[in-house]
Structures are given as structure tokens and as C-alpha cells.
Amino acid sequence: MAAQMTDAHRRFLQVLMSNGITEGSEARKIHQHCCETDKVYYAHDKLDDFISTINSHLQPLFMQIRKGLSEDDGRAHYAVVNLAETEVTKMASDYTEIELELFRKTMDLIILSENGFASSTDILNLADQFKTKKMKKKEAEQVLKVFVEDKWLSEKNGEYTLHTRCIIEMEQYILSNYQDVARKCNICHSLAIQAFYLLSLEIKLSWSSVSTYKSQVCESCGIGMHLPCVRKYFRAQAEPRCPKCNEFWSCDIPGMSRMGSQTHHRTPFLALDDASKT
């Protein structure tokens, strides 16, 4: 039998729905505030249990509080997801038909790209190719700005990618409509959109270049892993191997450096922050 919902649970749910998406540390503060305000037992390490209680009562309504990781920094985020709506049409009440078409085409560019980004130039060039009616580029620029403000897209230096909110809420839509390219992180099981393909150890890139990519893909079996998950998983391994196919992980690992032999199958890894101590 599901645990009873209290006013603290209801208050927490209302805040999350109002926020759209909430970063993990903020969710913990909200959890504490709700419990203390409504005089309900609070334990700092029981947020997941607290959310599970809410989800058990949301299930008949086809809703759920979902947890996902930011591809930028690996931090947890929470969002309320409507499971009955798996398409972009869940945004229909907030945007016009032509604005939704711009979002769909932007999503196509991002997900079908090699690195999970689409340039503003490429997006704006689509504005006069819509099926419904044409959109001026100035109008498209304003709509993109709204998508960023509403946390459906993220933008940096004219490059757009899917915001963590979009990845969490649109997960089923993305998996259903981009089956050939959409992949989940093999460790945290959240979608990995910004993939970094490094097919040769001979390729030399600075870490400032590598950091623009947020995931890596196994050269042998194709599974994806977020960079924070890659580092955590391989940190204690002298010879990193894919968790699925057990082949050598050929991508450079964040915060780790190869030392010693040039034969990559026998090259141990050291954490960069530890290497100075040896």
C-alpha cells in the first residue's frame, strides 16, 4: 500500500510543476522547506523516498517526477512528466503551430548532428521552409530565445542543444522518433544527446575542445556514456574497458592521462589530480 500523501508532498509537487525543472540541490532545499513548513518528518537523505511517495499517487494520473542528469555538469535535475503525452504536442498550449514546427525541425538538427548541437544559422535557414507558413528570421530568433528562456533549449555562442528539461520530458518521444541515433547513457540510463566520437588514439585534441562534447561512444559496440559517468566508472580501472562489450575504451577519459607504453591495451591510466604526486 502506498504511503500517504501529506501537505508537504503536495507543496513539493506544486513547486516542481511551477519550476518546470529543478536542480538537485535546490530540490533538496525545497524538500526540507516543505517538511519543516508542514511539520512533517524530514531526513536529508530521504528525498528519493519522498518523491517515490508522490509518484505512487501520480501513477493513476499518468504523471511522474523524473530525475535526469545535466549533460553539462552531471548534476541531477527533477521534472514533472506527463506520461500520457509523448509528443511535442504537449507544448501545444504554450506555443503556436508554426513555433512548434520550428522546435521540431530544431530538434531534428540537434539529434541528427554528430555532436548534439545545431548552429543558429542552420536553424534560421529553416524558417522559410515550413509547411504551414513562412517565418521571418527575426521572428525565428525571438522564438528560439523563448525556447531557451522556457528551458527547452540551451544556447552558447550561437550553438543550440536540448536543455535537460527537454531531455527528461521528451525522452519517450526522442527514443521513438530517433531510434537509429538516440542512445541512453549505459551508466545513469539518461539520454546522451551530445556525443563525442573519438575513433583513433592518434587524434590529439585539447581538453578545451573535448569539453564541448558531453558524451562518449564506444567504438566497438556503440553504447554511449556521459563524461561525468565515464570518469566515475573508469576512475579506479588501470585498463578501461567498455562495460557492455569489454573492448578497450579508446576515448580519452576526462581527468585521466595515459602513461607508459604506446600499446594502448597495456596503457595504465592515472587521475590527473593524482599524477603530480607520483
Side-chain angles (χ1 to χ4, degrees):
M1 182 177 178
Q4 185 177 356
M5 280 267 284
T6 67
D7 287 342
H9 292 96
R10 284 183 278 272
R11 188 186 301 273
F12 182 87
L13 176 60
Q14 289 172 353
V15 174
L16 256 63
M17 292 180 71
S18 176
N19 288 351
I21 187 168
T22 303
E23 196 268 326
S25 62
E26 181 63 21
R28 289 189 288 274
K29 292 177 183 177
I30 297 170
H31 173 217
Q32 181 177 2
H33 171 75
C34 291
C35 290
E36 292 176 350
T37 299
D38 294 298
K39 296 178 172 57
V40 172
Y41 171 73
Y42 166 75
H44 74 278
D45 59 345
K46 296 296 183 182
L47 176 59
D48 287 344
D49 293 341
F50 187 82
I51 290 176
S52 293
T53 297
I54 298 174
N55 280 339
S56 65
H57 290 270
L58 289 178
Q59 186 176 3
L61 304 175
F62 300 101
M63 297 179 70
Q64 183 183 68
I65 297 175
R66 279 190 179 170
K67 179 180 179 180
L69 297 184
S70 166
E71 291 193 288
D72 289 324
D73 54 24
R75 293 180 181 177
H77 288 71
Y78 296 87
V80 180
V81 178
N82 189 335
L83 302 177
E85 297 178 329
T86 59
E87 300 186 8
V88 177
T89 49
K90 69 166 60 183
M91 301 164 60
S93 60
D94 298 318
Y95 307 102
T96 66
E97 183 178 352
I98 192 170
E99 289 171 345
L100 290 177
E101 188 168 357
L102 177 64
F103 185 81
R104 289 190 188 95
K105 290 185 177 296
T106 300
M107 184 179 283
D108 283 344
L109 286 177
I110 291 171
I111 296 178
L112 298 178
S113 69
E114 292 184 354
N115 61 1
F117 289 88
S119 70
S120 58
T121 301
D122 289 340
I123 297 172
L124 295 177
N125 284 339
L126 298 173
D128 58 355
Q129 301 176 19
F130 292 161
K131 297 177 182 178
T132 51
K133 64 178 182 178
K134 301 296 185 279
M135 177 184 282
K136 295 180 179 178
K137 290 188 177 181
K138 281 291 184 183
E139 294 175 319
E141 287 178 347
Q142 287 301 115
V143 175
L144 286 175
K145 184 177 179 181
V146 172
F147 287 150
V148 171
E149 291 173 351
D150 292 346
K151 300 179 181 178
W152 294 109
L153 296 176
S154 295
E155 184 271 337
K156 184 176 182 181
N157 299 326
E159 295 285 320
Y160 289 82
T161 190
L162 303 185
H163 193 281
T164 306
R165 176 190 183 185
C166 182
I167 294 174
I168 295 175
E169 294 199 34
M170 299 289 186
E171 178 177 300
Q172 284 307 121
Y173 175 85
I174 293 171
L175 290 173
S176 298
N177 289 271
Y178 304 93
Q179 296 181 17
D180 293 337
V181 294
R183 53 169 58 83
K184 286 188 174 185
C185 173
N186 196 70
I187 302 301
C188 71
H189 307 296
S190 296
L191 280 174
I193 301 297
Q194 302 171 30
F196 170 48
Y197 298 82
L198 182 57
L199 300 182
S200 171
L201 292 177
E202 302 304 319
I203 297 176
K204 302 299 182 183
L205 293 174
S206 67
W207 275 111
S208 60
S209 299
V210 173
S211 65
T212 63
Y213 300 84
K214 309 304 180 183
S215 303
Q216 294 180 347
V217 176
C218 177
E219 180 182 342
S220 299
C221 69
I223 66 162
M225 291 169 62
H226 294 122
L227 289 189
C229 297
V230 166
R231 179 171 186 179
K232 289 178 182 178
Y233 183 79
F234 290 128
R235 187 173 182 84
Q237 297 185 28
E239 188 178 82
R241 291 187 173 277
C242 174
K244 182 178 180 180
C245 69
N246 202 39
E247 288 295 319
F248 180 79
W249 193 263
S250 59
C251 298
D252 284 335
I253 298 173
M256 311 287 281
S257 63
R258 290 181 172 84
M259 304 290 290
S261 171
Q262 294 182 351
T263 306
H264 68 250
H265 287 284
R266 295 185 179 277
T267 305
F269 280 68
L270 292 176
L272 290 180
D273 52 5
D274 295 333
S276 61
K277 301 176 184 178
T278 61

